Amino acid sequence: MSVEELNRLFGIPGLAEFEEGNGGLTKLVIAAEGSLAEVYLLGAHVTSWTPAGGEDVLWLSRESRYEIGKPIRGGIPICHPWFGPLEGDSSAPIHGYVRLTCLEVESISPTDDGGVSAVLWRRFGKPPGDNWPGDFELRLRVTVGRSLSVAAETLNRGQRDLVISEALHTYFRVSDVRKVRVTGLAGAAYWSKATGGRAVQGPEPLTFTAQTDSVYRHSAGEVVLHDPQMLRAINVAKRGSKSTVVWNPWIEKAAAMPDFGDDEWPEMLCIEAANALDDAVAVPPGKTHVIETIISVEPCRHGVTV
Ligand code: BG6
């Protein structure tokens, strides 16, 4: 559908308008409660969210590709219907195929509290690989206002349980990853893909001094990213998510990724609401499962929320 047609059918002038984005891909620009967000139809991918009076909360690589079939690097990729590599099929795309596929617009509407909510959806039939999950409908509800929420609803259209792993793979923009702290994960058991080790997070906040790629299991609570240099704390609340992934590629891995600038790694930190490893979800036939991340920002000075 063309940008003009989308605007005619779904646009709300001044609040939600479609535009041509990078690479000629269509994006939706939402302005609500003084905040501004951009959502590409490719993967229902939120690439930017600037809350009222603040700076962009999301990080986007200057080297990102904008091409159907390739993921956008930054923002909030939707990893679905599997997270990471698919067990038993090395030819399957990492993090599933949703982030590689364009979704359709179902509705855009104002919310009762002054925000705007857009729903993108698509039915994914049984894909080619034997191990690949299918057939399901996915609905992505992006709500923009004083906070940003992204909710992914999976409806199993098949005859058997649909087993999915997933992540709302949020890239946060930070002043310098070496100077931020993350709280909310104390006591959670994690598996570090960077070291191959398993451990339990101590009471101290997380700080970052090397490549970090950790899956925290059974961690359903709110996580806070404290960034004193940017004078802000980002609260990452969630629903329907039992795992939290924390990722920064650091120097060598960043240099090895063609769509990631070699010097960009200090500017970002991923905190992902997920259901990964043995937190994978079995959705019964005809039933739905929802995972949601709700992001809000508070001012903070010298590391203390004010
Ligand atoms: C993280 C994974 O969620 O995503 C990492 O834990 C992975 O292992 C990273 O490297 C980025 O993945 P991709 O496919 O977007 O490069």
Side-chain angles (χ1 to χ4, degrees):
M1 214 182 274
S2 69
V3 161
E4 292 71 29
E5 221 170 334
L6 285 166
N7 275 324
R8 192 170 52 74
L9 289 174
F10 301 104
I12 310 176
L15 287 184
E17 296 182 28
F18 293 88
E19 287 177 13
E20 184 179 306
N22 293 329
L25 299 177
T26 303
K27 70 178 182 188
L28 170 63
V29 180
I30 300 177
E33 291 282 318
S35 83
L36 196 65
E38 294 189 353
V39 188
Y40 277 73
L41 299 192
L42 173 59
H45 197 128
V46 180
T47 51
S48 170
W49 177 55
T50 308
E55 293 178 58
D56 208 325
V57 168
L58 303 178
W59 176 86
L60 195 58
S61 172
R62 63 167 189 271
E63 303 291 345
S64 178
R65 296 167 293 201
Y66 293 89
E67 205 181 314
I68 294 167
K70 303 270 195 297
I72 294 172
R73 175 69 68 192
I76 313 184
I78 313 292
C79 305
H80 192 289
W82 58 83
F83 174 80
L86 180 66
E87 209 179 308
D89 189 347
S90 56
S91 69
I94 303 281
H95 290 331
Y97 42 83
V98 167
R99 66 178 180 161
L100 312 176
T101 313
C102 284
L103 277 78
E104 290 173 32
V105 182
E106 187 173 79
S107 64
I108 302 178
S109 48
T111 63
D112 291 343
D113 57 358
V116 171
S117 199
V119 181
L120 307 188
W121 85 288
R122 182 165 175 139
R123 181 163 183 173
F124 292 89
K126 179 78 186 102
D130 284 347
N131 296 321
W132 295 25
D135 143 31
F136 62 93
E137 280 178 32
L138 187 65
R139 277 187 176 70
L140 270 306
R141 178 181 293 276
V142 178
T143 305
V144 180
R146 278 186 287 274
S147 58
L148 169 72
S149 137
V150 177
E153 179 188 281
T154 306
L155 165 62
N156 182 0
R157 286 286 194 184
Q159 305 300 317
R160 303 180 190 171
D161 279 5
L162 175 79
V163 179
I164 54 166
S165 54
E166 56 189 347
L168 305 171
H169 191 310
T170 311
Y171 287 76
F172 290 106
R173 173 177 297 281
V174 294
S175 56
D176 183 332
V177 72
R178 293 160 293 195
K179 299 196 170 133
V180 302
R181 292 177 302 115
V182 171
T183 55
L185 292 166
Y190 66 94
W191 173 52
S192 166
K193 292 199 238 175
T195 64
R198 288 175 192 276
V200 174
Q201 186 65 41
E204 68 288 350
L206 274 73
T207 52
F208 302 91
T209 54
Q211 186 195 146
T212 302
D213 191 354
S214 303
V215 182
Y216 289 83
R217 299 186 31 239
H218 313 310
S219 64
E222 181 171 301
V223 171
V224 183
L225 167 53
H226 306 263
D227 191 342
Q229 287 206 345
M230 285 193 88
L231 302 176
R232 71 184 183 190
I234 300 173
N235 298 322
V236 188
K238 55 188 190 154
R239 190 166 66 96
S241 156
K242 291 186 179 163
S243 329
T244 305
V245 181
V246 180
W247 181 63
N248 179 287
W250 222 254
I251 302 165
E252 279 172 32
K253 193 159 179 189
M257 289 187 283
D259 60 345
F260 197 117
D262 291 0
D263 57 351
E264 289 184 311
W265 61 270
E267 305 164 2
M268 54 70 62
L269 181 68
C270 287
I271 300 177
E272 311 166 30
N275 288 304
L277 307 177
D278 48 4
D279 288 325
V281 179
V283 189
K287 301 287 185 200
T288 57
H289 156 76
V290 181
I291 182 171
E292 181 177 18
T293 187
I294 305 130
I295 299 163
S296 56
V297 180
E298 285 175 44
C300 108
R301 277 193 209 111
H302 311 299
V304 179
T305 304
V306 291

